[in-house]
Amino acid sequence: MRISLVGFGQIGGSIARALRRPGADLGGEEPPEIVAWSPTGRGPMLALETDIVDEVAASLPAAIADADLVVLAAPPLACLALVDELGGPLRDVLAPGAVVTDVASTKATIVARAAERGLPFVGGHPMAGRELAGYGAAADDLFVDRPWVLVGAAGRLDDAARVEWLARACGARPLVMDARVHDEAVAAISHLPLVSSVALVEAVTGALAGDGGGAGSWQTAAPLAAGGWASATRLAMGDPTMGAGILATNAAPVARRIRDLQAALDSWLAELEAPDGPD
């Protein structure tokens, strides 16, 4: 099998590393041929130097030509643009029988776009990742025993076997799910925590910024920050482009969960600001 990784950051790089790790369960298949492409080419070149990939493509058309499986390993908005290209000017470059998948954190918008373009597409979302970005954050065990969601587009779940093989070869557990059900679920357990982490940083650093080193200043608070602050704000260190793309393609479900959080915080405020103090 020839696998094309379009985008080669943490997730794309981890897929390549997982397929090359000793003891990877390839389901009796021969080790795949891996070709990688990214706009800068830096990650693919580093991977080529250590035999993680077999080829670095010079262009997007060169990357997808002759591929059996094309993996769009890019942020959600970039995946939408790639779907438009593969379903438009590059449609004839795709090999007959090729399957396209992605690893973006939202599914309904991307799967619908792929269906509009008539792509042989199976949406994917490995439920794994770290706040760090780039190929340097890739790890061969990132997906081990993690769910890998598969979502069909335009009835293309017949093509899911190839994507399911990829998930299992990376050590993950394939899980078939409806796109909108997926997006509602991850809005609660992935996207709301991201927004909450960023909002916490904005609220605290913004509110304490103007005290000029006084008791209520960020300069006073920052040296005292320890594990609780680090844990609660870890997600705020993530790639802003990735976060923006997630929210742009899953806005309504995330907004519903933010309102739930807002209601919970309002109930805390009511307790804390009760006339006689909290009970």
Side-chain angles (χ1 to χ4, degrees), residues 22 32 38 48-49 62 64-65 75 89-90 145 164 172 175 177 186 188 233 240 269:
S38 73
L48 183 66
E49 292 171 2
I64 67 173
L90 298 183
D145 204 32
E164 181 177 343
L175 176 65
M177 187 175 286
V186 296
T233 60
L269 280 175

Side-chain angles (χ1 to χ4, degrees), residues 68-235:
D68 300 296
L69 179 62
V70 177
V71 182
L72 308 182
L77 294 179
C79 279
L80 284 174
L82 287 165
V83 165
D84 287 340
E85 286 196 71
L86 269 61
L90 298 183
R91 186 65 178 86
D92 291 340
V93 180
L94 285 173
V99 176
V100 182
T101 187
D102 75 317
V103 294
S105 301
T106 61
K107 292 274 69 78
T109 301
I110 296 171
V111 168
R113 183 71 62 85
E116 291 172 6
R117 299 293 183 264
L119 275 181
F121 187 87
V122 178
H125 181 200
M127 299 300 300
R130 302 184 176 98
E131 69 276 7
L132 303 176
Y135 177 65
D140 64 4
D141 61 350
L142 186 67
F143 311 110
V144 171
D145 204 32
R146 299 300 305 156
W148 189 309
V149 177
L150 277 62
V151 177
R156 298 300 305 227
L157 273 178
D158 289 346
D159 294 326
R162 201 169 295 175
V163 185
E164 181 177 343
W165 174 89
L166 176 68
R168 293 190 187 281
C170 289
R173 294 182 282 108
L175 176 65
V176 176
M177 187 175 286
D178 175 80
R180 297 197 178 277
V181 171
H182 165 275
D183 285 3
E184 288 285 353
V186 296
I189 54 89
S190 180
H191 304 164
L192 179 62
L194 170 61
V195 172
S196 301
S197 180
V198 175
L200 177 61
V201 173
E202 291 175 336
V204 172
T205 60
L208 301 185
D211 196 10
S217 72
W218 178 243
Q219 293 96 312
T220 301
L224 307 180
W229 176 259
S231 297
T233 60
R234 177 180 64 84
L235 295 178

Side-chain angles (χ1 to χ4, degrees), residues 24-35:
D25 183 5
L26 302 180
E29 298 286 340
E30 292 293 320
E33 180 184 6
I34 303 174
V35 56

Side-chain angles (χ1 to χ4, degrees), residues 33-52:
E33 180 184 6
I34 303 174
V35 56
W37 175 84
S38 73
T40 68
R42 289 192 295 267
M45 289 304 300
L46 289 172
L48 183 66
E49 292 171 2
T50 54
D51 297 324
I52 297 299

